[in-house]
Structure formats: C-alpha cells, structure tokens
mmCIF file of all heavy atoms in Angstrom:
data_model
loop_
_atom_site.group_PDB
_atom_site.id
_atom_site.type_symbol
_atom_site.label_atom_id
_atom_site.label_comp_id
_atom_site.label_asym_id
_atom_site.label_seq_id
_atom_site.Cartn_x
_atom_site.Cartn_y
_atom_site.Cartn_z
ATOM 1 N N ASP A 22 6.943 13.867 -28.831
ATOM 2 C CA ASP A 22 5.888 14.554 -28.089
ATOM 3 C C ASP A 22 5.108 13.609 -27.188
ATOM 4 O O ASP A 22 4.270 14.062 -26.401
ATOM 5 C CB ASP A 22 4.924 15.252 -29.049
ATOM 6 C CG ASP A 22 5.579 16.384 -29.827
ATOM 7 O OD1 ASP A 22 6.388 17.126 -29.231
ATOM 8 O OD2 ASP A 22 5.273 16.527 -31.026
ATOM 9 N N THR A 23 5.343 12.322 -27.312
ATOM 10 C CA THR A 23 4.651 11.339 -26.485
ATOM 11 C C THR A 23 4.971 11.567 -25.013
ATOM 12 O O THR A 23 6.135 11.574 -24.615
ATOM 13 C CB THR A 23 5.042 9.917 -26.884
ATOM 14 O OG1 THR A 23 4.595 9.653 -28.218
ATOM 15 C CG2 THR A 23 4.409 8.898 -25.948
ATOM 16 N N ALA A 24 3.937 11.766 -24.202
ATOM 17 C CA ALA A 24 4.116 12.058 -22.782
ATOM 18 C C ALA A 24 2.752 12.162 -22.120
ATOM 19 O O ALA A 24 1.721 12.193 -22.789
ATOM 20 C CB ALA A 24 4.884 13.369 -22.589
ATOM 21 N N VAL A 25 2.773 12.224 -20.800
ATOM 22 C CA VAL A 25 1.586 12.620 -20.055
ATOM 23 C C VAL A 25 1.603 14.132 -19.953
ATOM 24 O O VAL A 25 2.603 14.721 -19.516
ATOM 25 C CB VAL A 25 1.539 11.984 -18.659
ATOM 26 C CG1 VAL A 25 0.323 12.479 -17.888
ATOM 27 C CG2 VAL A 25 1.513 10.468 -18.765
ATOM 28 N N TYR A 26 0.526 14.762 -20.358
ATOM 29 C CA TYR A 26 0.425 16.213 -20.345
ATOM 30 C C TYR A 26 -0.393 16.661 -19.144
ATOM 31 O O TYR A 26 -1.508 16.187 -18.919
ATOM 32 C CB TYR A 26 -0.208 16.715 -21.649
ATOM 33 C CG TYR A 26 0.756 16.680 -22.812
ATOM 34 C CD1 TYR A 26 1.138 15.467 -23.377
ATOM 35 C CD2 TYR A 26 1.308 17.854 -23.321
ATOM 36 C CE1 TYR A 26 2.047 15.422 -24.417
ATOM 37 C CE2 TYR A 26 2.211 17.815 -24.371
ATOM 38 C CZ TYR A 26 2.579 16.606 -24.911
ATOM 39 O OH TYR A 26 3.482 16.572 -25.956
ATOM 40 N N TYR A 27 0.177 17.599 -18.375
ATOM 41 C CA TYR A 27 -0.417 18.061 -17.130
ATOM 42 C C TYR A 27 -0.792 19.532 -17.201
ATOM 43 O O TYR A 27 -0.018 20.357 -17.677
ATOM 44 C CB TYR A 27 0.557 17.884 -15.963
ATOM 45 C CG TYR A 27 0.916 16.460 -15.643
ATOM 46 C CD1 TYR A 27 2.022 15.857 -16.229
ATOM 47 C CD2 TYR A 27 0.157 15.716 -14.747
ATOM 48 C CE1 TYR A 27 2.372 14.555 -15.931
ATOM 49 C CE2 TYR A 27 0.494 14.413 -14.443
ATOM 50 C CZ TYR A 27 1.608 13.837 -15.036
ATOM 51 O OH TYR A 27 1.952 12.546 -14.733
ATOM 52 N N CYS A 28 -1.946 19.846 -16.694
ATOM 53 C CA CYS A 28 -2.397 21.215 -16.551
ATOM 54 C C CYS A 28 -1.883 21.784 -15.232
ATOM 55 O O CYS A 28 -1.868 21.098 -14.205
ATOM 56 C CB CYS A 28 -3.926 21.243 -16.592
ATOM 57 S SG CYS A 28 -4.680 22.872 -16.520
ATOM 58 N N HIS A 29 -1.462 23.049 -15.247
ATOM 59 C CA HIS A 29 -0.849 23.688 -14.091
ATOM 60 C C HIS A 29 -1.379 25.103 -13.939
ATOM 61 O O HIS A 29 -1.453 25.852 -14.908
ATOM 62 C CB HIS A 29 0.672 23.701 -14.283
ATOM 63 C CG HIS A 29 1.444 24.394 -13.212
ATOM 64 N ND1 HIS A 29 1.703 25.746 -13.248
ATOM 65 C CD2 HIS A 29 2.041 23.921 -12.087
ATOM 66 C CE1 HIS A 29 2.424 26.081 -12.188
ATOM 67 N NE2 HIS A 29 2.643 24.996 -11.476
ATOM 68 N N ALA A 30 -1.744 25.461 -12.708
ATOM 69 C CA ALA A 30 -2.241 26.802 -12.405
ATOM 70 C C ALA A 30 -1.396 27.426 -11.310
ATOM 71 O O ALA A 30 -1.055 26.768 -10.326
ATOM 72 C CB ALA A 30 -3.704 26.745 -11.963
ATOM 73 N N SER A 31 -1.048 28.705 -11.469
ATOM 74 C CA SER A 31 -0.181 29.378 -10.509
ATOM 75 C C SER A 31 -0.617 30.816 -10.295
ATOM 76 O O SER A 31 -0.839 31.562 -11.250
ATOM 77 C CB SER A 31 1.265 29.346 -11.011
ATOM 78 O OG SER A 31 2.131 30.039 -10.132
ATOM 79 N N PHE A 32 -0.722 31.211 -9.024
ATOM 80 C CA PHE A 32 -0.992 32.591 -8.639
ATOM 81 C C PHE A 32 -0.385 32.822 -7.268
ATOM 82 O O PHE A 32 -0.818 32.227 -6.283
ATOM 83 C CB PHE A 32 -2.494 32.879 -8.620
ATOM 84 C CG PHE A 32 -2.828 34.289 -8.233
ATOM 85 C CD1 PHE A 32 -2.501 35.346 -9.065
ATOM 86 C CD2 PHE A 32 -3.473 34.563 -7.039
ATOM 87 C CE1 PHE A 32 -2.804 36.654 -8.714
ATOM 88 C CE2 PHE A 32 -3.783 35.860 -6.681
ATOM 89 C CZ PHE A 32 -3.447 36.910 -7.519
ATOM 90 N N ASN A 33 0.632 33.678 -7.222
ATOM 91 C CA ASN A 33 1.398 33.899 -5.994
ATOM 92 C C ASN A 33 1.890 32.552 -5.445
ATOM 93 O O ASN A 33 2.593 31.839 -6.147
ATOM 94 C CB ASN A 33 0.569 34.678 -4.983
ATOM 95 C CG ASN A 33 0.270 36.092 -5.450
ATOM 96 O OD1 ASN A 33 1.009 36.672 -6.243
ATOM 97 N ND2 ASN A 33 -0.821 36.652 -4.956
ATOM 98 N N ASP A 34 1.512 32.199 -4.230
ATOM 99 C CA ASP A 34 1.971 30.948 -3.636
ATOM 100 C C ASP A 34 1.018 29.784 -3.873
ATOM 101 O O ASP A 34 1.259 28.673 -3.396
ATOM 102 C CB ASP A 34 2.180 31.108 -2.132
ATOM 103 C CG ASP A 34 3.365 31.982 -1.791
ATOM 104 O OD1 ASP A 34 4.289 32.098 -2.616
ATOM 105 O OD2 ASP A 34 3.372 32.553 -0.686
ATOM 106 N N ASN A 35 -0.042 30.005 -4.608
ATOM 107 C CA ASN A 35 -1.014 28.950 -4.889
ATOM 108 C C ASN A 35 -0.653 28.232 -6.179
ATOM 109 O O ASN A 35 -0.535 28.858 -7.234
ATOM 110 C CB ASN A 35 -2.424 29.518 -4.979
ATOM 111 C CG ASN A 35 -2.901 30.103 -3.672
ATOM 112 O OD1 ASN A 35 -2.613 29.576 -2.603
ATOM 113 N ND2 ASN A 35 -3.638 31.197 -3.739
ATOM 114 N N VAL A 36 -0.480 26.931 -6.095
ATOM 115 C CA VAL A 36 -0.136 26.101 -7.237
ATOM 116 C C VAL A 36 -1.038 24.877 -7.262
ATOM 117 O O VAL A 36 -1.180 24.191 -6.258
ATOM 118 C CB VAL A 36 1.336 25.655 -7.204
ATOM 119 C CG1 VAL A 36 1.639 24.715 -8.356
ATOM 120 C CG2 VAL A 36 2.254 26.861 -7.249
ATOM 121 N N TYR A 37 -1.618 24.597 -8.430
ATOM 122 C CA TYR A 37 -2.487 23.442 -8.580
ATOM 123 C C TYR A 37 -2.078 22.650 -9.813
ATOM 124 O O TYR A 37 -1.647 23.220 -10.817
ATOM 125 C CB TYR A 37 -3.953 23.858 -8.707
ATOM 126 C CG TYR A 37 -4.448 24.735 -7.592
ATOM 127 C CD1 TYR A 37 -4.913 26.016 -7.847
ATOM 128 C CD2 TYR A 37 -4.449 24.280 -6.277
ATOM 129 C CE1 TYR A 37 -5.372 26.828 -6.818
ATOM 130 C CE2 TYR A 37 -4.896 25.086 -5.244
ATOM 131 C CZ TYR A 37 -5.358 26.357 -5.519
ATOM 132 O OH TYR A 37 -5.815 27.159 -4.496
ATOM 133 N N TRP A 38 -2.246 21.331 -9.721
ATOM 134 C CA TRP A 38 -1.933 20.416 -10.816
ATOM 135 C C TRP A 38 -3.136 19.568 -11.182
ATOM 136 O O TRP A 38 -3.915 19.175 -10.316
ATOM 137 C CB TRP A 38 -0.793 19.470 -10.424
ATOM 138 C CG TRP A 38 0.556 20.099 -10.317
ATOM 139 C CD1 TRP A 38 1.144 20.597 -9.200
ATOM 140 C CD2 TRP A 38 1.507 20.262 -11.375
ATOM 141 N NE1 TRP A 38 2.402 21.069 -9.493
ATOM 142 C CE2 TRP A 38 2.654 20.880 -10.812
ATOM 143 C CE3 TRP A 38 1.500 19.952 -12.733
ATOM 144 C CZ2 TRP A 38 3.782 21.187 -11.564
ATOM 145 C CZ3 TRP A 38 2.623 20.262 -13.490
ATOM 146 C CH2 TRP A 38 3.741 20.867 -12.900
ATOM 147 N N GLY A 39 -3.253 19.260 -12.458
ATOM 148 C CA GLY A 39 -4.231 18.293 -12.904
ATOM 149 C C GLY A 39 -3.680 16.885 -12.806
ATOM 150 O O GLY A 39 -2.525 16.667 -12.428
ATOM 151 N N GLN A 40 -4.507 15.913 -13.156
ATOM 152 C CA GLN A 40 -4.121 14.507 -13.041
ATOM 153 C C GLN A 40 -3.333 14.008 -14.243
ATOM 154 O O GLN A 40 -2.705 12.956 -14.183
ATOM 155 C CB GLN A 40 -5.372 13.641 -12.841
ATOM 156 C CG GLN A 40 -6.110 13.238 -14.119
ATOM 157 C CD GLN A 40 -6.835 14.383 -14.806
ATOM 158 O OE1 GLN A 40 -7.023 15.461 -14.240
ATOM 159 N NE2 GLN A 40 -7.256 14.152 -16.048
ATOM 160 N N GLY A 41 -3.367 14.744 -15.326
ATOM 161 C CA GLY A 41 -2.633 14.390 -16.521
ATOM 162 C C GLY A 41 -3.476 13.631 -17.530
ATOM 163 O O GLY A 41 -4.417 12.927 -17.180
ATOM 164 N N THR A 42 -3.126 13.785 -18.795
ATOM 165 C CA THR A 42 -3.754 13.034 -19.872
ATOM 166 C C THR A 42 -2.671 12.524 -20.818
ATOM 167 O O THR A 42 -1.734 13.246 -21.154
ATOM 168 C CB THR A 42 -4.798 13.892 -20.625
ATOM 169 O OG1 THR A 42 -5.483 13.081 -21.587
ATOM 170 C CG2 THR A 42 -4.160 15.079 -21.332
ATOM 171 N N GLN A 43 -2.783 11.267 -21.213
ATOM 172 C CA GLN A 43 -1.759 10.619 -22.028
ATOM 173 C C GLN A 43 -1.906 11.007 -23.493
ATOM 174 O O GLN A 43 -2.994 10.898 -24.072
ATOM 175 C CB GLN A 43 -1.852 9.098 -21.887
ATOM 176 C CG GLN A 43 -0.864 8.325 -22.760
ATOM 177 C CD GLN A 43 0.555 8.450 -22.291
ATOM 178 O OE1 GLN A 43 0.842 8.266 -21.108
ATOM 179 N NE2 GLN A 43 1.468 8.765 -23.215
ATOM 180 N N VAL A 44 -0.806 11.449 -24.085
ATOM 181 C CA VAL A 44 -0.727 11.697 -25.517
ATOM 182 C C VAL A 44 0.339 10.768 -26.086
ATOM 183 O O VAL A 44 1.494 10.818 -25.673
ATOM 184 C CB VAL A 44 -0.382 13.158 -25.837
ATOM 185 C CG1 VAL A 44 -0.139 13.341 -27.331
ATOM 186 C CG2 VAL A 44 -1.493 14.082 -25.354
ATOM 187 N N THR A 45 -0.062 9.925 -27.019
ATOM 188 C CA THR A 45 0.857 8.979 -27.641
ATOM 189 C C THR A 45 0.906 9.227 -29.138
ATOM 190 O O THR A 45 -0.125 9.179 -29.818
ATOM 191 C CB THR A 45 0.428 7.530 -27.370
ATOM 192 O OG1 THR A 45 0.365 7.302 -25.962
ATOM 193 C CG2 THR A 45 1.413 6.561 -27.990
ATOM 194 N N VAL A 46 2.098 9.498 -29.642
ATOM 195 C CA VAL A 46 2.313 9.714 -31.071
ATOM 196 C C VAL A 46 3.003 8.473 -31.622
ATOM 197 O O VAL A 46 4.136 8.161 -31.245
ATOM 198 C CB VAL A 46 3.151 10.964 -31.342
ATOM 199 C CG1 VAL A 46 3.266 11.204 -32.846
ATOM 200 C CG2 VAL A 46 2.539 12.177 -30.652
#
C-alpha cells in the first residue's frame, strides 16, 4: 500500500488533482 495518494475530482470535462500525500507502510 506504500505510495503517494492523490485526491481526484471529476465532473463532465472538469478534472482536478491534489498534490498528493505520502503513505509509507
């Protein structure tokens, strides 16, 4: 599960991304 986790928003043609947060197991 170790990875950078990114938030994503989508509505029709609008797409947004977050900067990510590191999760290390």
